[in-house]
Structure formats: C-alpha cells, structure tokens
Amino acid sequence: MTEPIKTDILIIGAGPIGLFAVFELGLLDMKTHLIDILDKPGGQCAELYPDKPIYDIPGVPKCTGASLVDSLMAQIKPFGPVFHLTEMVQSIERIGEPAFRITTDAGKIFETKVVVIAAGGGSFQPKRPPIPGIEAYEDKSVHYAVRKMDVFKGKRILIVGGGDSALDWTLNLAPLASHLTLVHRRQEFRAAPDSVNKMLALAKDGKIDFVLGQVSAVEGEGGQLKTAIVKRNDGSSVAIACEAMLPFFGLTMKLGPVANWGLKLDNDLIVVDTEKFETSAPGIFAIGDINTYPGKLKLILCGFHEAALMAQKAHRYVFPDKKLTFQYTTSSTSLQKKLGVT
Amino acid sequence: MPKITYIDSAGTARSVNAEVGSTVMENAIKNGIPGIEAECGGACACATCHVYVDEAWREKTGEPSPMEEDMLDFGYDVRANSRLSCQIKVTEDLDGLVVRTPERQA
C-alpha cells in the first residue's frame, strides 16, 4: 500500500484563493499541500485568462491573470507549499475529529487534519465536441489527452482543433502514425505560428492531411472507431478512416467529485458559515468561488478574506493546545521571521 | 430601450429590454435567460456565452474579432452565424435583435 503523505492542511485547488490560503495558513505555522487537476498553479487565472487584465485586486490597479499568479507564488514561497498537479481528489474519508484520508485519481493518499476546498468552478475537464454518440468511444479510441505516444504508433489518427495542443500533437504524432489528418473549422489557428507553418509544410509534402471543417459523426464498433464523417465548410462531407481521434476543444469546468463528498450544497455550491467558512462537515472548509453564503460575491478579493478567517479556525484544529495571538506582518518579528524578511 | 429576444434550442423565446452599452451576454445573465453560462464573466475567455445570430441581424451585429474567432473554436456546434454574446454590444440599431442559444454551451 502507498505510504500516506501527512500534512496539516490539504488544499483542493491551486487557484488564486488556494494559493493565498497557503500564505494565511503559513503565517500561523500550518504546513500545506495543494492538489490541482491543471498542470500549473493559478486555476482560472492561468487557464482561462492569463493575459486578460484584472482591475479589482485591492492595491493593485491593474494586473493580469498570469502576473497575479506569479505574485502569489512569490508571496507564498517562504512557506514551502507542496504541489500535486494534474491530479484530482476522488474521495475524502473522515478518520478523526478532525482528520481525513484523501485519495487522488493518481492513487496518492494523504492524511490531513484539515481540508480546504478552494476548487473555484470545479475541476477543469476537456470539452466534448458535439458529435452524437462520441461517449461510447471515449478512453478507447477517442482521447482528450495524450498520455503515452506509443499507443498511437502505426495508427490512423484524426486530430481535431486549431490550438497549441492540436498542432503540437499533430507535429509529434505525424512521424509515428500510419496516417494523420488534422481537422479544423477555419484557416486561422490559435496555435503558435511556427507550429502552424510546420504543419502546413507537412501537409504540402503530403505527410499529413489537413481538412477544413468539423467532425459531424463517428462510426465504429465496441468503442473502436472506424470512420469519422467530416463536414467541410462548403457543405460537402468526407468520410475519413481512422482508428484514433484526438479532439482538442479546450477545457470546461465541472463540479466533479465535490458533489459526492456529503457536504451541504446549494445550486452546486458548498454552503459555509461566514465566521470561519467551514462546511457542514467540521474540519472541511470551502473558500472562493466554490462556496456560497448570504451576500456572496465571486470576487478574488472576497476569497482572500475568506482564506484569512478560515486560517484562524484551522489553527484551532491543527494546534488545539496553542493559543493564537493576532499579529501584523508590519510589526511582528515572529511573522517577519517566517516570511524570511528579517 | 432596445429589445433583445433569446430563443432556446427547444424554441422558447424570451425577450428583455437591454441598456445601450451593455452586452447581449450581460442581459441574458441579468434576466436569468437559460442557455447562456458565461463562465469567465465576459472576458472573451471561455466560449460559454455562444449564440447564433438570426440571419436578418448578422450584418448589424458584424463579424467576430480575431480574438473572438479564436475563442469560438472552443464553442459547441459552431456555425457561420456563431458569436460570443459577451462581445455583442447593445446599440439602438440592435432594437429587436434575435439570437438563438445552442443545445448546450460546453
């Protein structure tokens, strides 16, 4: 059996609120591990709008999603948070008052005193293209990510999309595949121009096929894809023989396993109190966009506030015998020592 | 105030009065119009406020910007008259605008 990772606090979600929670908890000497389904910290700020301006962070007239995440990462560095990326929490089991055993989809096991759910809009999952019956092929011959390239060796592959994932995998899998077709709905691409040029060169040399259009139907048997019907932009259709299809239509947010953890929910949001931001399960907190309470606003600044108050109560769970004295970072030498600024 | 009509995939029409300068997405959210999610809150960063502009109105609403086209790649069942409703600003000219919402957003 896997040795459990022991921690004071397990934070589910490494978006801006999960990151700032590391800071507030760290000031109170609590050690944190974070789990996120994305391959990088930052949540929506990193995935949805890294380059878009944000104007409502107190004291910061203007920043971007990416620069906010960078600043938060710098701010929490002294506390040495441990990140577990591209993982999703599958189950939470209560093993004490409070203490929890958490299992991820990668098979990791954590034992933590307190759980902080900072999962925003839920977990990011690949978007399913509008192709009737595609579900039957998923994980068998339709894949939304490439885990092992070998799986595609010698296969007839169809890649759908026009972003970096679609283009990168077109370039990487073209030498391996027996035949590769890229389908995109328009001549322009979001992907890096260099990748686009390389792809067009491969198409020109006849090494791959590039078809302008959208996949409208798939045919096959027992989950094994045989043919994809592509509707070209001029209205005509073409049948493409393929054994594997890789659609890259970005990510969408789904509540995911949070719904199964037995917490009191209201409209897919976790109900918390406004004193400690604790859920209906003592020892499990929910902060940021995932929670709800009277007057809730889905603002980053509100999530920051929630993180600070949550940390006060979490401290009582993690160190039941320690008295907590309120201190300011501006004047407290002990806090400044923790921040490494003295 | 200009009137906007949203028709869902089942054919139910809902009309709202929209302030000039607001977006077609904002008016949908404000009035609880089903079929528009706007996950990102109007930053042209998610394609979950995707609508089909009625053919009669396509000229007036105009074509999507390159950034919007990029985002539309992520939309569900994108067609020639697809737009992101967060990128359509309400003007007096758009009084009577009709948009249809797709079967689903993501």
Side-chain angles (χ1 to χ4, degrees):
Chain A
M1 201 180 133
T2 331
E3 190 67 21
I5 300 169
K6 295 203 162 126
T7 179
D8 293 332
I9 312 275
L10 189 86
I11 302 175
I12 302 169
I17 308 309
L19 295 179
F20 191 66
V22 171
F23 182 84
E24 289 294 334
L25 292 159
L27 284 181
L28 307 182
D29 298 318
M30 289 173 271
K31 295 274 170 266
T32 47
H33 282 249
L34 299 98
I35 300 179
D36 200 292
I37 197 165
L38 295 177
D39 59 1
K40 54 192 172 291
Q44 292 181 47
C45 287
E47 183 62 35
L48 284 185
Y49 48 87
D51 306 319
K52 303 269 155 70
I54 306 174
Y55 300 104
D56 61 353
I57 306 297
V60 183
K62 186 182 174 182
C63 64
T64 63
S67 73
L68 179 67
V69 173
D70 288 346
S71 303
L72 285 164
M73 289 297 281
Q75 196 168 18
I76 65 176
K77 197 163 175 252
F79 302 112
V82 186
F83 289 89
H84 305 268
L85 300 171
T86 62
E87 282 186 50
M88 184 162 80
V89 171
Q90 276 194 319
S91 64
I92 301 184
E93 182 196 346
R94 186 180 288 272
I95 53 167
E97 292 307 323
F100 302 90
R101 183 179 294 122
I102 307 255
T103 316
T104 73
D105 60 351
K108 253 183 225 166
I109 298 167
F110 294 83
E111 281 180 16
T112 183
K113 290 169 192 150
V114 165
V115 177
V116 177
I117 304 173
S123 53
F124 278 101
Q125 287 169 18
K127 265 192 195 169
R128 176 183 283 159
I131 304 168
I134 191 170
E135 294 91 333
Y137 300 91
E138 286 170 356
D139 298 325
K140 294 185 189 112
S141 52
V142 171
H143 304 272
Y144 296 106
V146 177
R147 304 230 184 265
K148 282 199 192 107
M149 278 173 60
D150 277 356
V151 176
F152 300 97
K153 210 169 180 177
K155 292 232 167 107
R156 291 183 66 92
I157 306 174
L158 185 72
I159 294 181
V160 194
D164 282 311
S165 300
L167 272 283
D168 288 351
W169 286 118
T170 296
L171 300 179
N172 285 323
L173 292 176
L176 252 75
S178 75
H179 184 268
L180 191 147
T181 308
L182 174 68
V183 175
H184 182 43
R185 71 175 185 95
R186 59 196 176 108
Q187 195 72 56
E188 294 78 34
F189 291 83
R190 300 183 311 282
D194 181 51
S195 316
V196 175
N197 291 337
K198 282 185 182 147
M199 182 279 292
L200 291 172
L202 286 178
K204 201 172 156 227
D205 294 346
K207 298 227 169 75
I208 64 162
D209 284 334
F210 170 47
V211 179
L212 268 175
Q214 297 181 73
V215 178
S216 60
V218 285
E219 291 160 13
E221 229 180 81
Q224 177 52 55
L225 202 61
K226 286 184 178 154
T227 316
I229 311 296
V230 176
K231 203 173 159 196
R232 290 203 197 91
N233 289 358
D234 61 13
S236 67
S237 283
V238 54
I240 298 173
C242 58
E243 297 156 282
M245 180 160 87
L246 294 161
F248 293 109
F249 286 93
L251 302 171
T252 181
M253 286 180 287
K254 293 248 157 47
L255 186 61
V258 174
N260 310 325
W261 296 339
L263 304 172
K264 192 178 172 204
L265 299 179
D266 176 11
N267 270 324
D268 279 358
L269 297 165
I270 302 172
V271 176
V272 293
D273 64 69
T274 49
E275 182 195 341
K276 320 172 295 285
F277 301 94
E278 197 164 16
T279 68
S280 58
I284 303 182
F285 297 82
I287 55 176
D289 284 0
I290 193 102
N291 76 12
T292 185
Y293 50 84
K296 167 73 182 181
L297 288 180
K298 287 191 187 190
L299 290 176
I300 291 173
L301 71 96
C302 295
F304 287 169
H305 159 82
E306 294 162 16
L309 296 201
M310 170 280 293
Q312 297 288 312
K313 179 65 192 264
H315 184 271
R316 267 181 275 159
Y317 283 133
V318 175
F319 304 113
D321 305 325
K322 264 195 219 168
K323 197 175 167 284
L324 184 58
T325 341
F326 181 68
Q327 299 176 86
Y328 293 103
T329 54
T330 35
S331 50
S332 157
T333 44
S334 95
L335 291 188
Q336 288 168 1
K337 205 177 275 170
K338 291 174 200 173
L339 290 167
V341 292
T342 44
Chain B
M1 273 199 279
K3 198 173 92 171
I4 303 175
T5 302
Y6 304 80
I7 304 176
D8 67 21
S9 58
T12 307
R14 297 173 179 86
S15 297
V16 306
N17 292 317
E19 214 164 295
V20 169
S22 63
T23 68
V24 172
M25 178 279 281
E26 286 168 336
N27 287 285
I29 298 299
K30 212 164 78 182
N31 293 284
I33 302 290
I36 292 184
E37 288 174 14
E39 249 173 31
C40 80
C44 193
C46 76
T48 61
C49 66
H50 171 205
V51 296
Y52 305 117
V53 174
D54 186 90
E55 287 302 328
W57 290 92
R58 276 185 71 184
E59 201 173 317
K60 279 195 174 143
T61 52
E63 292 298 312
S65 71
M67 183 172 79
E68 186 182 340
E69 276 285 5
D70 280 356
M71 271 304 138
L72 274 170
D73 280 351
F74 296 126
Y76 177 90
D77 194 8
V78 176
R79 302 174 193 166
N81 58 340
S82 287
R83 288 291 310 269
L84 295 182
S85 56
C86 72
Q87 302 300 306
I88 307 175
K89 275 236 156 73
V90 176
T91 60
E92 291 294 351
D93 267 5
L94 291 184
D95 185 18
L97 173 68
V98 177
V99 297
R100 286 177 177 76
T101 50
E103 194 188 325
R104 57 171 214 236
Q105 285 292 350

